[in-house]
Amino acid sequence: MAKVIIKVRVAYPSNLIEVFDSQASVRKISGERSSSVCFLPEDPNVTFFILDWKHVEEAKIFWASKSAINQMAQWHSVGSPEILFLEEFRQQ
């Protein structure tokens, strides 16, 4: 299992979450298994997406694709989103 962590700063977090949720079907077709949305308690404009993917390579291919670039553009982030790809040491 792989995790993708995306950090994004936005002016309107509720708009970001609404757009992100509306894009879920495209991500799921590409390999996303589940997602969680979190924010920094001291700064709710900093949002984190924690996404489960079966394989890191699948996730990297998607997040480098035109589809993902178009999705991220719709987030209207302040600066570029930061994306980390993590591989779990062991499967549960």
Side-chain angles (χ1 to χ4, degrees), residues 20-59:
F20 183 79
D21 287 346
S22 75
Q23 300 167 334
S25 62
V26 174
R27 293 191 313 274
K28 292 210 181 293
I29 290 168
S30 299
E32 181 187 281
R33 306 278 183 200
S34 65
S35 65
S36 297
V37 181
C38 306
F39 63 91
L40 292 177
E42 61 276 4
D43 187 353
N45 291 10
V46 178
T47 304
F48 291 85
F49 300 119
I50 303 169
L51 315 172
D52 288 325
W53 291 69
K54 188 169 184 178
H55 302 287
V56 168
E57 286 308 313
E58 242 179 18

Side-chain angles (χ1 to χ4, degrees), residues 7-22:
K7 177 183 176 186
V8 61
R9 176 179 284 281
V10 294
Y12 304 101
S14 58
N15 291 352
L16 169 65
I17 294 166
E18 185 178 317
V19 170
F20 183 79
D21 287 346
S22 75

Side-chain angles (χ1 to χ4, degrees), residues 63-79:
W63 288 102
S65 73
K66 270 188 159 183
S67 179
I69 291 166
N70 289 337
Q71 283 194 10
M72 288 186 285
Q74 293 174 24
W75 299 349
H76 301 289
S77 63
V78 177

